[in-house]
Amino acid sequence: MNPVIGILANLTPTNDSGSLEEKVYVNNSYISAVEKAGGVPIIIPVNINRDSIKSQIDLVDGLIISGGADINPILYKEEPLVGLGYFNTDNDEFDIIATRIALIQDKPILGICRGLQVLNVCLGGTLYQDINHVESSYIKHFQQAKRCMGSHSITISEWSKLAEILGTDSTVNSFHHQSVKDLGKGLVVTASSKDGIIEAIELKGEKYAMGVQWHPEEMVNDNEKMLLLFKRLVEVASQKKDEKKD
Ligand code: MN
């Protein structure tokens, strides 16, 4: 069987039926990107029971931490600032526990947008609660162009795992108002935009855990390199799965 890639879902309040409901969701673009890359996608719903989360992660060979809302800044020991948006602490705790378990189990991880931020906070890092708080930032990081279109450039460190996939520069889409401030333990910066905003991070060493601040899943139809990000995740998941069998 092709490797199973778990996609961490989000909780969102909706008013679709005329009364307030909480729904579990993942944008369909994540599912199709995993399928296109040869993986078997499954959605992992939010819960805060550690044993259940461990059983959920046991089922998958690789993990995608998907995009979503802000993270409660108390989880990186900061008070909420004016630029902070909506957050849901249960959602945050679920993501952080799931990520920690995947790291312990040596399952490859791709964190996307909020997912990159979860990976950072999970390892003790901090965030800028709003990019407007970053004095040096002048680039529009929340584009109004179509989601599949790249808008700003990034420079990628040539020694990184990311550069093996994308090369040393790229144009990416951008739908974030937060970004990494201090790095979590064991993480390195692998890509930045021209205004110094961190656009990608990865774990040093043998384990495969990478975070990107943009949304490659929205770009895979017209951009072979962005699809490679998912293909590499599937490939590493497949290798690690075989190693565990031996
Ligand atoms: Mn950006």
Side-chain angles (χ1 to χ4, degrees), residues 4 12 25 39 85 90 105 121 124 144 153 155 175 208 219 227 242:
V4 176
T12 188
Y25 84 99
D90 287 348
Q105 294 187 352
V121 171
Q144 285 162 305
S153 63
T155 306
F175 299 98
Y208 189 93
M219 302 178 82
L227 181 59
D242 290 344

Side-chain angles (χ1 to χ4, degrees), residues 131 139-142 151-152 154 172-176 193 195 197-199 213-214:
I131 288 180
I139 286 171
K140 188 176 176 77
H141 285 279
F142 211 106
S151 67
H152 72 67
I154 56 167
V172 297
N173 59 9
S174 201
F175 299 98
H176 59 111
S193 52
D195 57 350
I197 294 296
I198 294 174
E199 289 279 339
Q213 188 58 76
W214 66 96

Side-chain angles (χ1 to χ4, degrees), residues 101-153:
I101 294 169
L103 285 169
I104 291 167
Q105 294 187 352
D106 192 19
K107 300 213 163 139
I109 298 170
L110 175 61
I112 294 178
C113 199
R114 166 190 163 87
L116 162 148
Q117 296 163 6
V118 166
L119 179 63
N120 189 48
V121 171
C122 168
L123 291 165
T126 65
L127 304 176
Y128 288 111
Q129 293 183 34
D130 191 275
I131 288 180
N132 287 324
H133 303 153
V134 187
E135 228 170 279
S136 63
S137 177
Y138 61 89
I139 286 171
K140 188 176 176 77
H141 285 279
F142 211 106
Q143 74 187 47
Q144 285 162 305
K146 285 206 298 193
R147 292 182 74 81
C148 60
M149 285 179 178
S151 67
H152 72 67
S153 63

